[in-house]
Amino acid sequence: MINLISDTVTKPTPAMLEAMMQAEVGDDVFGEDPTVNALEAKAAALFGKEAALYCPSGTMTNQIAIKVHTQPLDEVICDQHSHIYHYEVGGYAFHSGVAINLLEGDQGRLSAEQVEAAVKPTFDWLPKSALVVLENTCNRAGGSYYQLKDMRAIREVCRRKNMKLHLDGARIFNALTESGNTPLEIGELFDSISVCLSKGLGAPVGSLLIGDRDLIRAARRVRKVMGGGMRQAGFLAAAGIYALDHHVERLREDHARAQQIAGVLEQLPFVSQLRPVSTNILIFDLIPSITAARFLEALGQNGVKASSFGTHTVRMVTHLDFTDEMLEKVLEILPRLF
Ligand SMILES: *Cc1c(COP(=O)(O)O)cnc(C)c1O
């Protein structure tokens, strides 16, 4: 099977497994796992921040960020496609008691003007706009990424309006691969950053929350109350260190393969619209006579998996375990489906 459902489907490479097997470990709830500590220090330094926190998932790092940046009755401003809104079980309400102020961005990207206009005035009957969350790349909008100047302008609005700024950077390295910006430039702009190691970077488990020391100290307590304090997590953290050392540069290969698939999809008579492909995610609409279910069934019969993103919409994601041989096969199968 060729699996294009998500970049989360990857398995550790033999070299990554070897690094995991060699990890020196301790009890991370006591802060005594040297490999977890090394991963956290490495991630913090990479983004020019003081500290980081290793967590089981990106949902947890985002939810911890919302919790530490807000009070109940506050609101979080984000784009309508945000992962924190759609795919985190409504955790912002459950954990933090906050409302969401959803904006209609440009393919998942907010503008500073939009954010500024969305900030609520101070009245007893309104939630308080306390936090802005940007997603880069934006998953549900097809892997779009921000220009640095646009993020800077939003930072400036947050400063003036006394709001915190969090980055859902589940795929930040995909964004940086294309924008050419550095992690340091990103670190400067955000109060906290969530990075997934288990997406394009190919680690089996784990995400990092990155920020200043006080924020991470508070975040550690929230991680614990969420049940996310892990013991000898160094075996997993070792995969994260390996991923940061070896799997960042190669993301451009995933993007190049996505472009090749895009080139074929554009030509297909049963594809009505392909959203702009910027990184490793392809989202496309099918003509009215072909549903996503029918398309996925035909694709599946040819040994390829993708996912439905609506009744006539399909998503494909390229990743570490999707090779050139598999790409050739996909390029050959697609035109023959219908
Ligand atoms: C995957 C993802 C997350 C975190 O997901 P987990 O599965 O909980 O690790 C957060 N934000 C975005 C944009 C994602 O794609």
Side-chain angles (χ1 to χ4, degrees), residues 78-203:
C78 63
D79 178 78
Q80 59 177 347
H81 291 300
S82 299
H83 195 278
I84 58 161
Y85 177 70
H86 284 280
Y87 301 127
E88 300 185 8
V89 212
Y92 57 89
F94 184 75
H95 299 296
S96 301
V98 296
I100 288 265
N101 186 351
L102 278 189
L103 307 185
E104 197 176 325
D106 164 30
Q107 305 199 66
R109 290 167 299 215
L110 301 179
S111 71
E113 293 71 27
Q114 251 183 325
V115 171
E116 180 140 26
V119 177
K120 293 209 167 42
T122 311
F123 287 120
D124 287 347
W125 52 89
L126 294 178
K128 179 172 170 249
S129 306
L131 173 66
V132 176
V133 177
L134 305 184
E135 189 172 313
N136 195 20
T137 67
C138 183
N139 167 28
R140 206 162 170 269
S144 57
Y145 62 90
Y146 275 90
Q147 298 300 324
L148 196 63
K149 67 169 176 27
D150 297 331
M151 292 187 283
R152 278 195 177 134
I154 293 171
R155 163 84 274 172
E156 181 51 27
V157 171
C158 290
R159 194 190 56 74
R160 269 192 285 114
K161 299 288 183 181
N162 203 20
M163 297 186 293
K164 300 293 186 193
L165 184 59
H166 171 70
L167 175 65
D168 179 353
R171 296 187 179 82
I172 187 59
F173 290 105
N174 295 87
L176 296 177
T177 296
E178 292 304 318
S179 69
N181 297 128
T182 65
L184 285 177
E185 287 173 311
I186 297 294
E188 253 174 36
L189 300 179
F190 291 89
D191 296 294
S192 56
I193 300 165
S194 162
V195 176
C196 285
L197 299 163
S198 62
K199 302 272 167 84
L201 298 187

